[in-house]
Amino acid sequence: MGAMSVRPDTEAAAQQAADKAPHRAGFACFVGRPNAGKSTLTNALVGQKVAITSNRPQTTRHTVRGIVHREDAQLILVDTPGLHKPRTLLGERLNDVVRTTWAEVDVIGFCLPADQKLGPGDKYIVKELAGIKKTPKIAIITKTDLVDSKQLAEQLLAVSRLGEELGFEWAEIIPVSAVKDTQVDLLGDLIAPLLPQSPPLYPEGDLTDEPEMVMVAELIREAALEGVRDELPHSIAVVVEEMLPREGRPADKPLLDIHANVYIERPSQKGIIIGPKGKRLKDVGTKSRKHIEALLGTPVFLDLHVKVAKDWQRDPKQLRKLGF
């Protein structure tokens, strides 16, 4: 009997170790060129559609946060607007927001699509990142489902070299495919230890702390841009004026009235948004209503109006009114 060592059940031991490991919580943001897969990655990590996915820059204008709840950590994803060379007052304001956000988060994930060569846009962003000394930076090669292993290896090497050239080291370099759900959990595993020790900062059920009105406005804006991106890439802003439960409805059949204005810059754009005989605006309403109902979990009556706010992107007073 003496020679036999009694080993505790390994699972129980692992659980004990996990219980001892301090809980971590903190903020991370994904950066990268437009269409680098940032929003898709946010959605894959959170497990629900929270950020607005679009193949155009500047659709995520607000700090949409996805919240990833884990046993050992809570990761709050802050979605910053894209950093770009500013041409307008709005552009400058967005860039200031970006730099402030980067300095305040605990981890920055730089997203680079596997199927696109490292371009000047990427280098511009990484150069800016190099200036933010304290924050750990992870390079995330996205869309790995679109390339073969040779192409992927080249991309991993290129991003590693770029860090060296700019005099910093990536905390991690990881390939992922959000679409195929490859290595998405592993990305969470790599980010978690880089967060500060902290109890959870948000209640378990929360997926985003974005005010619902702002998310609703984003869904309407996404639907309004669908199909007219080339004609009106940035000149649409949406403001939800009010969201009120319809009075006198039975408790089991609630209805939420949402009144929203779609702002454009010039009267000539009105026809593009409204469409022949109002058909386009009707489609925008139908499409966004479905997404809003899915988001809020309640039937919705959506009342949409198109209004002209002259050159709102260049006018500080209009910008403030529209929530920028």
Side-chain angles (χ1 to χ4, degrees):
M1 198 62 199
M4 220 176 116
S5 66
V6 183
R7 296 186 59 178
D9 181 336
T10 43
E11 251 174 62
Q15 187 52 50
Q16 251 176 328
D19 290 344
K20 280 199 197 98
H23 186 278
R24 295 177 178 272
F27 296 84
C29 72
F30 294 142
V31 302
R33 272 185 302 172
N35 207 12
K38 302 181 291 283
S39 297
T40 315
L41 190 55
T42 299
N43 296 335
L45 271 166
V46 176
Q48 192 154 335
K49 182 171 175 168
V50 286
I52 305 300
T53 47
S54 150
N55 56 0
R56 269 293 157 115
Q58 304 302 339
T59 44
T60 320
R61 286 177 186 276
H62 302 278
T63 308
V64 179
R65 297 184 175 93
I67 302 168
V68 183
H69 300 276
R70 298 165 52 107
E71 291 282 299
D72 58 338
Q74 187 180 66
L75 170 62
I76 299 123
L77 297 166
V78 188
D79 219 12
T80 50
L83 185 82
H84 57 100
K85 296 182 175 148
R87 282 189 297 275
T88 60
L89 180 68
L90 175 64
E92 278 170 39
R93 204 169 282 187
L94 287 171
N95 277 358
D96 291 344
V97 171
V98 175
R99 291 195 184 89
T100 314
T101 306
W102 289 3
E104 287 168 359
V105 295
D106 301 298
V107 181
I108 299 171
F110 168 66
C111 296
L112 178 69
D115 63 332
Q116 292 169 28
K117 284 259 183 285
L118 251 174
D122 300 307
K123 289 176 179 160
Y124 176 68
I125 293 170
V126 176
K127 208 165 141 188
E128 290 284 332
L129 285 181
I132 295 165
K133 298 280 185 247
K134 284 192 182 133
T135 317
K137 295 167 266 294
I138 293 181
I140 305 162
I141 309 297
T142 58
K143 309 188 184 185
T144 55
D145 51 294
L146 302 179
V147 298
D148 57 24
S149 51
K150 182 173 171 285
Q151 233 178 318
L152 180 57
E154 283 168 8
Q155 197 71 317
L156 290 167
L157 199 63
V159 76
S160 166
R161 283 200 190 119
L162 184 58
E164 281 167 28
E165 277 168 35
L166 294 166
F168 75 90
E169 200 177 329
W170 299 103
E172 304 279 353
I173 299 177
I174 176 175
V176 302
S177 164
V179 175
K180 293 270 194 313
D181 204 14
T182 315
Q183 305 228 97
V184 172
D185 287 343
L186 177 62
L187 175 63
D189 295 344
L190 295 175
I191 294 174
L194 299 171
L195 303 173
Q197 291 185 18
S198 158
L201 303 169
Y202 287 87
E204 178 65 50
D206 290 5
L207 289 172
T208 169
D209 81 340
E210 187 62 82
E212 284 178 342
M213 281 171 110
V214 174
M215 288 189 79
V216 167
E218 278 288 349
L219 289 170
I220 296 169
R221 185 167 182 270
E222 187 179 48
L225 276 171
E226 210 54 53
V228 296
R229 288 183 198 285
D230 298 334
E231 298 158 90
L232 310 173
H234 303 322
S235 27
I236 299 178
V238 176
V239 176
V240 174
E241 298 294 336
E242 57 179 16
M243 285 171 43
L244 296 169
R246 174 84 55 96
E247 283 182 17
R249 298 279 295 193
D252 58 342
K253 288 199 175 142
L255 183 67
L256 187 66
D257 284 317
I258 299 180
H259 300 279
N261 291 326
V262 178
Y263 287 97
I264 46 179
E265 293 190 296
R266 291 186 290 287
S268 60
Q269 297 169 336
K270 219 168 172 171
I272 300 174
I273 289 286
I274 293 171
K277 296 191 176 156
K279 188 179 174 318
R280 254 211 102 249
L281 191 63
K282 209 169 159 189
D283 289 349
V284 169
T286 310
K287 197 167 181 176
S288 53
R289 197 186 72 236
K290 281 192 190 126
H291 288 304
I292 294 165
E293 289 181 339
L295 173 79
L296 302 177
T298 175
V300 160
F301 173 79
L302 182 59
D303 176 38
L304 279 185
H305 292 274
V306 180
K307 299 195 168 182
V308 179
K310 258 181 91 72
D311 293 329
W312 62 265
Q313 294 200 43
R314 293 170 200 284
D315 177 353
K317 216 162 73 215
Q318 298 273 19
L319 282 175
R320 270 199 300 280
K321 193 178 121 200
L322 298 175
F324 295 112

